[in-house]
Amino acid sequence: MPTPTLHTDRLLLEPYRPDDAEDSITLLTDPEVGRFMGDGPLSAEEAGALFGRVFTKVYAEDLFDVWAVRRDGRYVGHAELKRTDQVDGHEIIYALVKPAWGAGLGTELARALVRHGFDTLGLPRVYATVAEANHASLALLGKLGFVHERDLAEANGTVTRVLVVDRDPA
């Protein structure tokens, strides 16, 4: 099933378009945005290659849902919902451009991803992996009912928190 378009009160999540390349690369190379993502901010070359794979691999093979996030027609972020072996389930991934921080858009975005996982994909639970030092995302996900499941020790000495929210909390 192709990536669907999702709507929230203020956001539009839609499949990427080729003309989103510059905005996507800018987001993924921003040091502040990328400091808690994977191994950190990407180089422009890495971000460009990743953007290309969205079309040549992810969309072409219908692997998982990945969205450009827009507010008032402008690109403000990136979102994914995909199955990962790291959590043995489906994980939400999201990032917003710095000017979009602090306005509650992250909460709105994460809520939409969880709702899509439960209501559309029929998932019993949704995961998130968050750097232990990323207090803003940990607090945001806590507001949405995510609870700490376990910690993962990373090779660089940092800790990643595995969080989970169940469709029907016990």
Side-chain angles (χ1 to χ4, degrees):
M1 176 171 79
T3 297
T5 298
L6 307 178
H7 300 268
T8 71
D9 288 343
R10 300 177 290 170
L11 300 174
L12 172 68
L13 286 69
E14 63 182 1
Y16 272 98
R17 304 182 301 238
D19 65 350
D20 290 321
E22 184 178 335
D23 288 329
S24 175
I25 292 168
T26 298
L27 175 74
L28 297 175
T29 59
D30 184 298
E32 286 187 72
V33 173
R35 68 184 165 161
F36 295 126
M37 295 177 67
D39 294 325
L42 300 177
S43 69
E45 182 178 286
E46 292 167 329
L50 180 63
F51 184 80
R53 285 192 303 275
V54 166
F55 295 96
T56 62
K57 185 105 176 124
V58 177
Y59 290 157
E61 298 178 21
D62 196 21
L63 296 179
F64 56 89
D65 293 329
V66 59
W67 296 273
V69 181
R70 301 181 201 289
R71 181 177 187 196
D72 299 326
R74 298 180 56 108
Y75 180 91
V76 295
H78 172 91
E80 301 177 20
L81 179 58
K82 67 181 181 181
R83 176 148 180 66
T84 62
D85 291 336
Q86 185 178 35
V87 298
D88 193 27
H90 284 75
E91 175 183 8
I92 62 170
I93 298 167
Y94 55 89
L96 293 171
V97 297
K98 285 186 294 189
W101 293 3
L105 296 177
T107 302
E108 194 171 319
L109 175 56
R111 183 177 288 119
L113 296 174
V114 170
R115 187 172 46 242
H116 176 67
F118 290 158
D119 297 347
T120 303
L121 301 180
L123 302 175
R125 53 189 0 205
V126 173
Y127 290 88
T129 56
V130 182
E132 179 181 46
N134 189 344
H135 303 292
S137 277
L138 290 170
L140 179 159
L141 293 167
K143 287 190 290 188
L144 297 180
F146 279 81
V147 296
H148 178 254
E149 182 180 75
R150 68 183 187 279
D151 289 337
L152 302 172
E154 302 294 346
N156 65 3
T158 62
V159 172
T160 296
R161 294 274 162 103
V162 176
L163 308 174
V164 64
V165 63
D166 289 318
R167 174 196 296 260
D168 299 312

